[in-house]
Amino acid sequence: MSPRTRRPGPGRIAYPALLATTALGTMSSAVVNAPLWVIRTDLGLTAEQAVLAVAAFTVAMATTVPVSGWLGDRLGAKPFLLAALAVMVLAELAAAAAGGLGMLVAARAVQGAACSAIPPCVQTALVTAWPDRTARTMGTWASAIGLGQAVGPPFGGFITDALGWRWVFLVHAGLVLVLMAALAAAMPGVPRGRPPLHVAALSWLVVGCAATASAVVLAGQNGPWAGVGLLAVPAAAGWVLFVHLSRRRSRRAAADPAAPRPLLEPALLRGPGYRTAAAGAGLAMGAMAVAIVATPLFLAAELALAPAQIGLVVLTLALAMTATGPLAARLGRRHGSGVQLGRGVALVVLAAPVLTTATVAARLGVDAWVVVAVVITGLVIAGAGIACAQSAAATELLLSPAGRSGTAVGLHNMIRFLAMALGYSAVSLAHALDAPGLIFPALGLAALAVLVALRTPRRPAPAAAPGPTGPDPAVPDRTDGADPDPDDDAAPGDPARIHHPRPTDAPTDAPVPPALPRTAGASRREDRP
């Protein structure tokens, strides 16, 4: 019987519903970008305060996503995701009623914390239901992120022009309720894992994440710099103690199999695939943050465009991401995700001088339509680069040993959102220092540095210490999962099809053998026999 006739009906609904969840989550962070100037005027905010309303969402995500990864494993991806979406609806109602900066920032922070459940839960559910299409699924997942960015700015812009900016949150909350009903009916069940409970390590991890994100945001507000320095102390302490406690428990578990295991096996994070994924995802999210905040502020301040017009211009960035996602996944299957990632970073490097040219042209009095055309060109190039880097990083992560740990996936997503918060803060600081013209050149230099780092050969990381094999939340213990794309031309030897049997009653985050014997950036011809 063909895969098309074998596939159960619910699978047809589950796949688009999960991708729509990713798109709607991304959209929730982008809906305020186009009306940002209107919100600033209505509430009497400065430019850096307006950016703070955007950054609060991402900072909350970066702080809570490691815990969300652990909770998704512990409670089950489906019930945890539905509960998080319900919290998001309540937070959006609060944002719609905000009368000042404090309430708006608090509501956006709660939205971000709730949204942090989406990446680990959706990634786990996708790879659980369709384990033999990891590369293709992650390419489509990256396109869903682009779709959310595509819909977000014009959605916010048009609703603001028609009804006012408060209705942006109300309409989005209604869409979330519709999506919750679809997920409740169609989302495939993901077996619960049993990740270890290490309260001390988890607490210090949260402290480190929160202090780091807060320091980044405060720096973007141009100080007070004494406060930034004070926040650096708990940030460093949190990370150091988290690593120390994890290593100590890992050594004890290696010596005594009956001893409690660490929240996360440190050896998993030293793999070249995990580091490559972190670098690529961090750059992609940082570049996206700069583009979707700096561009609307520039178009409103220099060209006096309306929110709907700004939304249409920024739409081109996300359309490029959406269109490039499937092509990027095919590039990765043919030449390796390392090649795909390098080309994506190179495109971001190329986009920076194009966008810089637009800012210079506007100040020289060049016609507005010419400036807009240059901006659109730069956004299209940047969008293609972001999509390539995003899907390559996701593939590297899920095919690495660390991709089987919900906590490791949560840490990876934390890096993504910290990079996004850093991008927001860079834009805010540049405006606070009256130097917005330096934003895109700084992005280009950062992308160039990542490109050089990716091309620098690295020694293979040491293998993880032997231990009991744990259940894999990202690669489920099954081989009959539905196929989202039965016409995919991947060969039977495709590494994305590799299945790793494991006992379902073992702990979750134990060291596991590498999913692929490779080094960072190695070429993998995944769809060749």
Side-chain angles (χ1 to χ4, degrees):
M1 186 179 294
S2 68
R4 192 179 297 274
T5 57
R6 279 202 319 264
R7 183 170 58 189
R12 298 177 182 272
I13 304 173
Y15 191 62
L18 288 167
L19 295 177
T21 303
T22 296
L24 202 65
T26 307
M27 179 181 168
S28 65
S29 69
V31 291
V32 300
N33 294 339
L36 193 59
W37 196 267
V38 175
I39 295 174
R40 171 190 173 180
T41 303
D42 188 35
L43 297 181
L45 309 177
T46 64
E48 52 267 31
Q49 287 175 330
V51 174
L52 181 61
V54 178
F57 183 99
T58 303
V59 169
M61 285 193 73
T63 301
T64 56
V65 75
V67 180
S68 293
W70 185 89
L71 286 172
D73 280 353
R74 192 81 177 185
L75 304 177
K78 182 173 181 177
F80 180 59
L81 178 59
L82 290 174
L85 291 177
V87 173
M88 181 182 290
V89 170
L90 296 177
E92 292 196 290
L93 296 179
L101 177 65
M103 186 173 179
L104 180 62
V105 169
R108 291 289 288 167
V110 175
Q111 290 176 41
C115 193
S116 70
I118 293 177
C121 290
V122 169
Q123 285 178 314
T124 298
L126 286 173
V127 184
T128 297
W130 299 281
D132 55 350
R133 291 291 187 271
T134 300
R136 171 61 64 93
T137 302
M138 287 303 100
T140 311
W141 173 80
S143 293
I145 294 177
L147 180 62
Q149 290 295 340
V151 175
F155 174 89
F158 282 113
I159 290 183
T160 299
D161 282 349
L163 302 172
W165 65 268
R166 298 180 188 277
W167 279 92
V168 172
F169 297 107
L170 295 175
V171 175
H172 189 272
L175 294 176
V176 174
L177 288 173
V178 172
L179 183 59
M180 287 176 62
L183 289 173
M187 181 176 175
V190 178
R192 296 183 184 182
R194 291 195 299 173
L197 179 60
H198 192 180
V199 176
L202 187 61
S203 300
W204 283 113
L205 175 61
V206 172
V207 169
C209 290
T212 302
S214 300
V216 167
V217 172
L218 191 59
Q221 299 295 305
N222 197 19
W225 294 103
V228 176
L230 289 175
L231 284 170
V233 175
W239 291 113
V240 169
L241 288 171
F242 167 70
V243 172
H244 169 70
L245 292 171
S246 298
R247 285 179 173 175
R248 185 175 67 178
R249 184 173 277 200
S250 178
R251 289 193 296 266
R252 291 177 178 175
D256 180 9
R261 292 183 309 106
L263 181 70
L264 175 67
E265 182 61 49
L268 294 178
L269 306 185
R270 294 198 294 267
Y274 191 87
R275 290 181 294 173
T276 300
L283 175 69
M285 295 297 282
M288 185 190 304
V290 170
I292 64 179
V293 174
T295 304
L297 290 175
F298 162 71
L299 294 174
E302 299 292 336
L303 302 182
L305 297 187
Q309 295 172 317
I310 294 172
L312 289 175
V313 173
V314 178
L315 172 66
T316 57
L317 170 81
L319 289 179
M321 291 176 60
T322 306
T324 307
L327 300 177
R330 185 172 294 276
L331 172 67
R333 292 198 302 275
R334 291 191 174 183
H335 301 288
S337 55
V339 173
Q340 176 190 350
L341 180 57
R343 292 182 181 178
V345 176
L347 286 172
V348 175
V349 174
L350 178 62
V354 176
L355 293 169
T356 302
T357 300
T359 62
V360 173
R363 295 192 175 187
L364 294 177
V366 176
D367 289 345
W369 71 269
V370 176
V371 176
V372 170
V374 176
V375 169
I376 290 174
T377 301
L379 291 179
V380 168
I381 297 172
I386 291 169
C388 284
Q390 192 100 262
S391 61
T395 302
E396 286 277 342
L397 171 69
L398 294 180
L399 293 181
S400 72
R404 306 177 183 191
S405 162
T407 305
V409 173
L411 277 173
H412 171 83
N413 284 303
M414 179 213 69
I415 293 171
R416 292 174 61 224
F417 298 124
L418 276 180
M420 199 169 192
L422 184 61
Y424 289 147
S425 291
V427 174
S428 178
L429 182 60
H431 278 276
L433 298 177
D434 197 24
L438 299 179
I439 295 172
F440 294 118
L443 173 62
L445 291 175
L448 186 61
V450 172
L451 185 62
V452 171
L454 290 174
R455 294 183 178 275
T456 302
R458 297 182 180 183
R459 296 179 181 179
T469 302
D472 172 2
V475 182
D477 188 17
R478 52 179 290 194
T479 56
D480 60 346
D483 177 5
D485 188 356
D487 297 324
D488 193 305
D489 58 353
D494 185 339
R497 296 175 179 266
I498 294 178
H499 175 65
H500 302 276
R502 59 192 177 44
T504 57
D505 58 348
T508 303
D509 286 311
V512 290
L516 290 173
R518 56 180 171 80
T519 58
S523 177
R524 301 195 302 272
R525 296 183 176 271
E526 298 181 8
D527 60 347
R528 301 290 187 184

